[in-house]
Amino acid sequence: MPYIRAAGELKTKPTAAKHREIREIGLQPQVLLCRTEHPLDAELRQKLSMFCNVSPRGVIEARDVKHTIYENAIDAQ
């Protein structure tokens, strides 16, 4: 999910637009996995749930991490 530093907020519109495109091709997702730098609060989850027609429990946060296992594998070589 895009984070706008100047506004200090996550934007839901791009996520909702992509979800709409997926529904247009005939798929109805039951889970929305949101990759993000910042935590999703209850209000944001509810908003995504409403606009994407997914239950609030189906809106899952996938936080970015500073280091990945792939960086460690490259360092070991």
Side-chain angles (χ1 to χ4, degrees):
M1 296 199 42
Y3 178 76
I4 308 301
R5 255 184 240 290
E9 62 184 22
L10 290 165
K11 292 298 185 180
T12 59
K13 193 176 260 188
T15 304
K18 281 296 174 190
H19 186 269
R20 187 172 46 254
E21 287 178 21
I22 289 170
R23 288 188 14 215
E24 285 175 0
I25 63 171
L27 300 173
Q28 178 57 48
Q30 296 179 7
V31 174
L32 187 61
L33 185 63
C34 302
R35 183 171 169 203
T36 178
E37 298 175 44
H38 302 278
L40 300 179
D41 61 19
E43 181 181 336
L44 196 64
R45 287 175 193 265
Q46 187 63 37
K47 186 176 180 181
L48 285 167
S49 170
M50 182 177 64
F51 285 116
C52 296
N53 196 27
V54 173
S55 87
R57 290 184 59 196
V59 179
I60 301 170
E61 172 185 303
R63 295 281 299 274
D64 290 350
V65 295
K66 291 183 184 205
H67 302 285
T68 68
I69 60 171
Y70 303 108
E71 289 175 305
N72 293 336
I74 291 170
D75 292 338
Q77 293 179 356

